[in-house]
Amino acid sequence: MASTALPRALALLAGACCTSASIAFAQPRPVDDGAWTEARVVARAAQRSPEVARSRTALYEAHALSMFSRLPRVGNPTVGVRAMVGVPDVPAATYALLLGMPIDLSGARAQWSDEARWAVREAEYRVDVALNDACAQAREAFSDAAIAQATIALFEQRRQTAEALVRAARARLDAQSATALDVALAEQELTASELSLLDARREREAALGRLRELLALTVEERIAVSPIDEPTMPVGLSRERAASMAIARRREGASLRAAAQRLRASSTRLHHEATAPLFVAAEVEWQGYSVASLGVSAQWSLPVSLTNQGERATAQAQARAADEQRSIAEITVANQAASAWTELELRLSELALLRTRSIPAAQRALELTEALFRAGTIDSYRLLRARDELYAQQQRRLDAMRSAWRARVQLDRAIGNANTP
């Protein structure tokens, strides 16, 4: 019985190892029609991302500011009544009636229009910033989930191979061509592969959870991601061009520039608002039963000492701060783009080396080790080490793919292009 089980176990082990050796090169993969693709993720994030939704609420508020520029120049009418008791006799009592209206002469309404225009422009730029960031975050979560799914496939294959190795080790032990140590090592490898599989599943669920949150999906909505390949460098993009594109296309600087203009318009508006409205009134006053006087009055508070100095100084200081922040932001986004370009270039070089040299070398080493193992000239420990090395290189390739995708997403975000995968 043991003699017949041994060849079958060895054949099964060889087939499993060969399958695992070629898993990294199996490019054609089935795609679920209902799975989320990168383009679909970007489209959903642009429309439903919580970050984008919050930025649009600020845009609604900015549009509402224009209502201040359409307020009427004439304010609410004022009615005043005065009754003075007659002393020492009742006929000496005096009564008065006033009907007046404030008229705005400050010119603040026109300044409100200018301030609202800059506020709307600032809010629009911030929506663009939120859109770029939200799409970048969603794409990163999508790539993490897709690579975690590929990692699960790799570790599932590793587990199956480990199971075959356990069966082969036990068959050789029954045939007295292996020791209990060989079986223990094989069982240890099986446990390690199962633990790695659990870790990969946990990472996939964590990535899918982030993606669900970023896309504002409900708990009931199904979520699965389609497979992805290695990222590429954008065509014609150099490190210097990436830096210049970041300054030209990112909207952080533009939003700060609009904020500075809005604050300066606010300072001017506050200066105009220090001019009190002109109060014009018609008055009538009488004493006893005879009319004493009838006429018109006007009063105006001169803007001499109080002209909103504190509020205007605060607005001007905030405008200067926005200008300085804009200069810092332009330098920052340029450096981010240059760093992301360099990171992506290095990651792509690492992927190319793993794909063309490291993994094929580990695969050849495993094939030679398998042949020696089937011939009985080496023990299972050597086979485990060769097999672990191949899996380590395949796992490193997936890790490098994850890092490369993150670098590509960050590069697209840095140049303001995260919403166009």
Side-chain angles (χ1 to χ4, degrees):
M1 183 68 181
S3 60
T4 58
L6 178 59
R8 288 200 303 268
L10 290 174
L12 181 61
L13 174 62
C17 290
C18 291
T19 303
S20 67
S22 59
I23 189 173
F25 303 96
Q27 295 298 330
R29 290 165 291 180
V31 179
D32 186 352
D33 293 336
W36 286 83
T37 63
E38 186 181 9
R40 186 182 172 194
V41 165
V42 169
R44 171 81 179 197
Q47 294 297 322
R48 301 292 297 277
S49 169
E51 185 175 354
V52 176
R54 283 191 290 267
S55 67
R56 285 174 179 156
T57 59
L59 183 59
Y60 303 150
E61 296 175 3
H63 280 291
L65 289 178
S66 62
M67 181 58 67
F68 286 100
S69 66
R70 298 195 291 270
L71 295 177
R73 295 174 63 89
V74 179
N76 294 325
T78 300
V79 177
V81 177
R82 179 163 53 91
M84 305 296 290
V85 179
V87 177
D89 48 8
V90 175
T94 302
Y95 305 93
L97 175 66
L98 178 146
L99 178 63
M101 287 188 177
I103 301 175
D104 183 17
L105 302 179
S106 65
R109 294 188 311 153
Q111 301 305 318
W112 267 116
S113 178
D114 190 34
E115 184 176 351
R117 183 173 65 254
W118 283 112
V120 169
R121 192 170 300 179
E122 177 189 1
E124 289 175 343
Y125 288 143
R126 294 196 181 279
V127 170
D128 292 338
V129 172
L131 179 65
N132 190 49
D133 291 343
C135 290
Q137 293 172 8
R139 288 176 61 192
E140 184 171 305
F142 165 80
S143 62
D144 286 348
I147 293 171
Q149 185 62 45
T151 304
I152 289 174
L154 176 65
F155 285 137
E156 179 63 31
Q157 187 64 50
R158 180 181 181 183
R159 183 185 62 81
Q160 294 174 6
T161 308
E163 290 177 346
L165 183 61
V166 169
R167 289 192 293 269
R170 289 173 179 171
R172 295 185 68 184
L173 180 63
D174 293 338
Q176 298 182 351
S177 59
T179 65
L181 177 61
D182 295 324
V183 176
L185 290 173
E187 291 174 345
Q188 181 181 1
E189 171 66 13
L190 177 59
T191 302
S193 64
E194 290 173 343
L195 290 174
S196 298
L197 184 59
L198 288 175
D199 288 340
R201 287 173 177 168
R202 177 185 52 79
E203 291 178 1
R204 179 190 61 182
E205 293 306 315
L208 290 177
R210 292 196 307 271
L211 185 60
R212 184 185 297 276
E213 181 179 353
L214 292 168
L215 300 183
L217 296 173
T218 63
V219 178
E220 294 78 14
E221 291 182 84
R222 176 184 177 276
I223 182 169
V225 296
S226 61
I228 58 174
D229 294 319
E230 296 180 4
T232 58
M233 180 70 73
V235 179
L237 186 66
S238 63
R239 187 172 183 271
E240 293 73 18
R241 177 168 170 75
S244 62
M245 287 179 66
I247 296 175
R249 301 185 62 176
R250 289 280 289 272
R251 290 293 179 257
E252 284 85 349
S255 66
L256 289 169
R257 185 185 303 110
Q261 294 294 339
R262 172 182 59 80
L263 290 165
R264 291 190 175 93
S266 176
S267 175
T268 304
R269 186 254 306 165
L270 288 168
H271 180 71
H272 282 268
E273 284 183 345
T275 302
L278 175 66
F279 187 78
V280 179
E283 298 185 47
V284 57
E285 181 179 331
W286 65 90
Q287 186 176 21
Y289 295 100
S290 60
V291 176
S293 62
L294 177 67
V296 178
S297 66
Q299 51 183 322
W300 188 35
S301 177
L302 298 177
V304 176
S305 59
L306 297 177
T307 58
N308 292 330
Q309 294 96 326
E311 294 85 348
R312 289 162 51 200
T314 300
Q316 288 291 344
Q318 291 173 343
R320 290 193 298 272
D323 287 334
E324 293 182 6
Q325 291 173 12
R326 177 173 58 86
S327 300
I328 296 172
E330 290 179 350
I331 297 174
T332 300
V333 297
N335 287 329
Q336 287 176 351
S339 298
W341 188 93
T342 303
E343 175 71 11
L344 179 58
E345 183 186 41
L346 293 174
R347 291 297 181 182
L348 292 179
S349 299
E350 180 184 6
L351 278 173
L353 184 60
L354 287 167
R355 183 180 61 254
T356 59
R357 295 175 59 186
S358 183
I359 293 178
Q363 183 181 13
R364 289 193 301 271
L366 177 59
E367 291 171 352
L368 294 172
T369 306
E370 287 171 358
L372 294 175
F373 178 76
R374 287 193 296 269
T377 58
I378 62 173
D379 57 13
S380 59
Y381 179 79
R382 292 280 300 274
L383 178 62
L384 281 173
R385 298 288 71 78
R387 182 170 154 275
D388 286 346
E389 180 60 27
L390 176 59
Y391 277 119
Q393 295 302 318
Q394 291 171 339
Q395 179 59 39
R396 182 172 179 179
R397 175 178 175 267
L398 291 175
D399 292 340
M401 274 187 65
R402 180 185 293 106
S403 299
W405 266 109
R406 289 178 178 177
R408 173 58 194 266
V409 170
Q410 289 306 312
L411 176 59
D412 288 341
R413 175 185 175 273
I415 63 176
N417 200 37
N419 60 334
T420 54

